[in-house]
């Protein structure tokens, strides 16, 4: 297994290089540049072409595409992530400031959706064909079909504006800094995000549990006289968790950059919100680092999932 892990880690280097080049090329092909978005239209009309060219030269935007990409790549390899073109803030500081909020929201959604989804999926499989199973199946289909922005707007309107039980948005009120102070702000966006994930986890858990319960070793365990709960939990659920872990593992890195809609609706100060602003402002150093970080998280998650699958299922061999 160690040889497999080392080989996979070494394979990350060319993949990251190729993806970073494609993302950089995509930003190059978009119309305009950072200067076009940094200067308001009323101010830009009073500036001469020489002034705009001087600003582009100061930001390094007057160089060719390959030259700018090479400079960016060399700086990243040296551990220098650069500065945001809009405001000049070091990108490292932006990550340190924004990433904890996204990890907090994503971790809450992953935890709730995993526990609730696996529990409901197992119950649905054990009560196959019953009213409970049909009700949970319909709920799961609705959960994966309705867009998350719709759930977000409904939850915001009802619980925050109408009932006034929870804050409208943001992460923390001024003067508060503990996790429990942030909890009222976390509940609404966290539950909306976890609701979408719970439906998917529940459907995967149900299908995997039904498949496991039909295997030969389950019938053998029952024939040996083992208690039903032990057959279902110790033998059936353990095998059924393998595809669920794959689903959850791939969703965790996507949540880092995939919480954009929820963060926009609830004004959550995370990476997703920052990414939208960077794309709009053509802030290519910040866009590149967020995209590269998300891709790296996805590739590492794929490696971790393979290792966990082999540990959970003795039939899987990593070569």
């Amino acid at each position: 297994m160690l040889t497999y892990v080392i080989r996979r880690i070494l394979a990350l280097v060319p993949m990251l290089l190729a993806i970073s080049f494609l993302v950089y090329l995509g930003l190059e092909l978009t119309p305009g540049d950072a200067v076009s978005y940094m200067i308001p239209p009323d101010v830009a009309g009073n500036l001469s072409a020489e002034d705009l060219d001087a600003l582009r030269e100061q930001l390094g935007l007057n160089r060719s595409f390959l030259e700018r990409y090479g400079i960016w790549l060399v700086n990243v390899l040296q551990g220098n992530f650069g500065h945001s073109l809009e405001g000049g803030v070091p990108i490292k500081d932006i990550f340190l400031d924004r990433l904890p909020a996204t990890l907090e929201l994503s971790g809450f959604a992953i935890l709730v959706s995993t526990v609730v989804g696996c529990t409901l999926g197992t119950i649905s499989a054990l009560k196959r064909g019953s009213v409970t199973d049909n009700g949970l199946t319909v709920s799961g289909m609705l959960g994966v079909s309705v867009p998350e922005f719709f759930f977000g707007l409904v939850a915001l309107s009802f619980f925050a504006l109408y009932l006034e039980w929870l804050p409208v948005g943001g992460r923390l009120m001024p003067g508060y800094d503990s996790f429990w102070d942030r909890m009222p702000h976390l509940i609404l966006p966290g539950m909306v995000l976890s609701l979408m994930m719970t439906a998917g986890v529940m459907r995967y858990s149900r299908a995997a549990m039904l498949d496991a319960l039909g295997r030969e070793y389950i019938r053998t365990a029952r024939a040996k006289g083992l208690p039903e709960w032990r057959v279902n939990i110790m033998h059936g659920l353990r095998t059924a968790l393998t595809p669920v872990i794959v689903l959850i593992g791939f969703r965790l890195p996507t949540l880092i950059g995939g919480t954009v809609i929820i963060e926009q609706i609830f004004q959550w100060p995370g990476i997703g919100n920052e990414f939208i602003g960077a794309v709009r402002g053509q802030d290519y150093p910040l866009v590149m680092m967020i995209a590269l970080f998300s891709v790296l998280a996805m590739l590492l998650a794929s490696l971790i999932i393979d290792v966990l699958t082999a540990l959970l299922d003795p039939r899987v061999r990593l070569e």
Side-chain angles (χ1 to χ4, degrees), residues 33-208:
D33 57 16
V35 174
S36 306
Y37 292 87
M38 290 169 58
I39 302 177
D42 55 339
V43 177
N46 299 324
L47 296 177
S48 63
E50 290 76 11
D51 295 330
L52 295 176
D53 290 339
L55 183 56
R56 289 188 174 92
E57 183 176 0
Q58 181 181 355
L59 296 175
L61 300 177
N62 59 333
R63 295 186 174 95
S64 66
F65 162 70
L66 291 178
E67 187 178 0
R68 283 187 284 115
Y69 175 74
I71 294 174
W72 174 84
L73 185 60
V74 170
N75 289 333
V76 169
L77 293 177
Q78 294 175 349
N80 179 16
F81 299 149
H83 294 71
S84 170
L85 296 181
E86 188 176 357
V89 181
I91 293 178
K92 181 179 68 174
D93 294 343
I94 295 176
F95 265 80
L96 293 176
D97 181 56
R98 298 282 186 163
L99 187 58
T102 295
L103 292 179
E104 185 177 283
L105 179 60
S106 302
F108 180 88
I110 285 285
L111 179 62
V112 172
S113 63
T114 301
V115 174
V116 177
C118 288
T119 302
L120 294 179
T122 302
I123 293 174
S124 181
L126 295 177
K127 296 184 176 294
R128 181 179 183 181
S130 65
V131 176
T132 302
D133 178 32
N134 294 332
L136 291 175
T137 301
V138 173
S139 300
M141 293 178 63
L142 290 175
V144 298
S145 301
V146 180
E148 60 183 8
F149 75 86
F150 177 78
F151 278 128
L153 293 175
V154 170
L156 183 64
S157 302
F158 186 72
F159 292 105
L161 299 178
Y162 181 70
L163 296 179
E164 298 183 354
W165 287 355
L166 296 168
V168 175
R171 187 187 180 204
L172 193 63
M173 293 292 290
Y176 300 88
D177 55 4
S178 69
F179 174 77
W180 297 110
D181 294 329
R182 297 195 298 269
M183 183 57 70
H185 296 262
L186 177 62
I187 290 176
L188 206 52
M191 292 305 294
V192 171
L193 187 60
S194 63
L195 181 64
M196 308 296 299
M197 298 176 59
T198 298
V201 172
M202 183 179 68
R203 295 184 64 191
Y204 268 79
S205 300
R206 180 184 182 275

Side-chain angles (χ1 to χ4, degrees), residues 194-264:
S194 63
L195 181 64
M196 308 296 299
M197 298 176 59
T198 298
V201 172
M202 183 179 68
R203 295 184 64 191
Y204 268 79
S205 300
R206 180 184 182 275
M209 191 66 177
L210 288 174
D211 179 69
L213 293 177
R215 296 298 181 90
E216 186 67 31
Y217 60 85
I218 295 293
R219 291 191 289 269
T220 303
R222 289 195 175 112
K224 290 180 178 180
L226 295 178
E228 190 67 18
W229 68 267
R230 186 172 182 179
V231 173
N232 294 331
I233 302 301
M234 301 300 294
H235 296 275
L237 184 59
R238 180 184 176 183
T239 305
L241 282 178
T242 301
V244 177
I245 289 177
V246 173
L247 174 67
I248 296 172
F250 276 117
R251 281 191 171 182
L252 181 57
T254 57
L255 284 177
I256 296 176
T259 58
V260 175
I261 296 176
I262 299 300
E263 289 185 5
Q264 286 279 301

